[in-house]
Structure formats: C-alpha cells, structure tokens
Amino acid sequence: MKKDADLIRRIVLKMASDEHNGALKGLEGVDAEKFADHAFLLDDDGYALTRDFSPTVGKRAIIERLTSKGHDFAAELEDDTLWNEVKEKVVKPGKNWSLGVLAAVLKAAAIKQITGF
C-alpha cells in the first residue's frame, strides 16, 4: 500500500467535523480497502480508534473516533497553506515518509506560525 497524505488529511478532518454523524465507514470516491489501510495507519499511530469489520475477502474499517492526539492533529491540518507547505517538504515522490514525521513537521510549522519562532 502506498500512503496517501491527502487521504489521511481528508479522513482526519472529516472525523473532526460534525458532518460524519458518528463512526466513519468510508469516504465518497475512495476505495474501501484504501480507506481501511489509511484508517488502520491512523489507529496504529494513536490518532484514531479504528475497528476492523473485514468480510471474508477484502478489508473494511470503521473509524469510531479520533483520540485527543487525533484532534490536535486535525487542528494542525485545517490550514490549507500550512498543509501545502509541509506536504511539499515531507511527502516527495519516490521518498518514504512516516505519519509521525509528517505530524511532527506539521506541528513544528504550526508552532512557528503561531509564535513566530
């Protein structure tokens, strides 16, 4: 599976909004298995609580809620300009990146934006 930073952002922001009415089972236009892979990544890194409800074939996931860490991450993901700057630095074609590094750089950029240093 290839990680998709924009999909991670979409999932987290959707969960942080009031639009999803509870647990999130997927996103419009996103393959269920791709959604599940990214939901499990968010769970593995402590940003969300995700439940596996895979059938016999394929993967399916339900994100039950964001954790406190996930809500903090969502707050940092909201600014489009900040997101695009950080994504350009961290998520590069052909390079491996981790969700932890992406979140850390985003947090550092948000702190710099707020404090000026």
Side-chain angles (χ1 to χ4, degrees):
M1 176 213 48
K2 186 171 178 118
K3 290 177 287 198
D4 182 334
D6 288 313
L7 178 55
I8 289 169
R9 182 179 189 232
R10 282 182 62 200
I11 291 169
V12 171
L13 291 178
K14 182 75 166 183
M15 283 301 297
S17 75
D18 292 331
E19 299 172 15
H20 63 86
N21 298 321
L24 186 63
K25 297 177 183 176
L27 291 173
E28 188 175 323
V30 177
D31 174 77
E33 288 194 24
K34 186 173 183 176
F35 174 84
D37 285 336
H38 288 76
F40 293 134
L41 284 176
L42 289 165
D43 185 271
D44 290 345
D45 281 355
Y47 295 100
L49 295 179
T50 301
R51 190 166 34 98
D52 186 342
F53 81 104
S54 299
T56 307
V57 177
K59 277 187 236 175
R60 301 293 184 271
I62 296 175
I63 301 176
E64 295 181 343
R65 67 177 183 87
L66 291 179
T67 62
S68 177
K69 181 178 172 181
H71 280 284
D72 291 346
F73 188 40
E76 294 156 359
L77 287 169
E78 287 178 345
D79 185 314
D80 290 336
T81 302
L82 187 65
W83 167 248
N84 289 323
E85 288 173 10
V86 169
K87 188 175 79 163
E88 190 175 296
K89 292 176 184 173
V90 177
V91 181
K92 298 182 184 211
K95 300 288 182 186
N96 285 325
W97 55 273
S98 72
L99 187 52
V101 168
L102 179 65
V105 173
L106 187 60
K107 184 175 195 163
I111 290 169
K112 183 176 181 180
Q113 184 183 58
I114 292 167
T115 64
F117 55 85

